[in-house]
Amino acid sequence: MKSTVRAILFLAIFGFLYAQDQQTSATVRMWPQEPDGFQDLKFGNTQTEVKTILKESVGQCYEQQRNGGCQASTKIGDSLVFLTMLFKDKSLSLISGEFPSSEFMTLKPLFLERYGTPTSDKMDTVTNRLGGKFENETLTWTGKNVSLTLERFHSSISKSNFTLSSNTYIEEVKKEQEEKRKQDAKKM
């Protein structure tokens, strides 16, 4: 199960970082509806606090040194969403939600109502393994402290995703990836 959690986290972080790289620093603006968490969860919560807040909906959690992750389920409207939460230095730093892409058009208006106008709304074409082409939509909100990405087709055409993260966490991950890239290049 740990490998599943890690795989989901990798896909969420990779997709989120890709969307963030598409943004420039000029697009960071005042975001009047910028959140400090998701539902009752707040960035900075510990795993223990998250388990208390989410109660029976929390699935598996793991800790690895000062980092960790948890999985849970929640509802947005009538849609069931599977959450993956990432902790850095024992502090909630990233919340990713996965739901059927068939629910995207139902949930998108709720995100727009709650979070306001996105910083960007990008359309592109994705191709499945059988060669079918589908219009993907990626909405991104970038604020002073938090960034949010909502993607119609995430890891497959059947799954949509949102990722809400503290900008500090994203900068730390980018820095760690750059350091690793430099170290790997030196080993060549």
Side-chain angles (χ1 to χ4, degrees):
M1 193 66 154
K2 283 184 185 180
S3 62
T4 303
V5 172
R6 288 185 184 130
I8 291 169
L9 289 173
F10 174 79
L11 286 171
I13 292 169
F14 178 79
F16 190 76
L17 290 175
Y18 175 78
Q20 291 304 305
D21 280 344
Q22 303 305 304
Q23 300 288 312
T24 65
S25 59
T27 62
V28 176
R29 59 174 171 77
M30 288 299 296
W31 180 10
Q33 293 164 266
E34 183 174 1
D36 59 357
F38 176 74
Q39 293 181 339
D40 293 331
L41 301 172
K42 303 292 181 212
F43 290 118
N45 285 147
T46 64
Q47 273 193 15
T48 302
E49 291 169 331
V50 166
K51 288 177 186 178
T52 301
I53 292 166
L54 295 178
K55 298 179 179 95
E56 69 278 350
S57 70
V58 173
Q60 181 176 0
C61 290
Y62 74 93
E63 284 191 55
Q64 190 173 21
Q65 296 171 348
R66 298 186 62 176
N67 301 321
C70 284
Q71 290 185 316
S73 60
T74 191
K75 288 203 120 188
I76 301 176
D78 293 329
S79 301
L80 183 61
V81 177
F82 295 97
L83 298 177
T84 300
M85 294 152 286
L86 184 66
F87 298 83
K88 176 111 172 120
D89 296 326
K90 299 192 177 209
S91 175
L92 181 61
S93 301
L94 180 140
I95 303 162
S96 180
E98 186 175 271
F99 53 94
S101 59
S102 60
E103 297 287 320
F104 181 83
M105 294 310 287
T106 301
L107 292 179
K108 177 184 168 185
L110 301 179
F111 276 80
L112 293 170
E113 176 70 26
R114 169 64 180 90
Y115 300 112
T117 304
T119 307
S120 74
D121 187 351
K122 184 180 97 174
M123 301 294 285
D124 62 345
T125 303
V126 296
T127 306
N128 70 3
R129 293 181 200 161
L130 299 175
K133 295 187 183 299
F134 302 88
E135 279 298 308
N136 190 23
E137 183 174 15
T138 304
L139 294 92
T140 304
W141 292 258
T142 304
K144 180 179 177 185
N145 301 307
V146 173
S147 293
L148 168 64
T149 300
L150 174 64
E151 188 173 25
R152 182 175 196 161
F153 301 124
H154 183 61
S155 56
S156 73
I157 61 165
S158 64
K159 295 178 183 176
S160 291
N161 176 276
F162 72 86
T163 302
L164 184 64
S165 177
S166 71
N167 291 340
T168 303
Y169 172 74
I170 293 301
E171 289 305 315
E172 288 174 6
V173 169
K174 285 180 181 178
K175 186 177 177 181
E176 288 171 6
Q177 288 178 339
E178 182 61 30
E179 285 299 315
K180 182 174 180 348
R181 199 170 15 258
K182 288 178 183 177
Q183 293 300 318
D184 289 348
K186 286 180 184 179
K187 293 177 185 177
M188 288 177 51

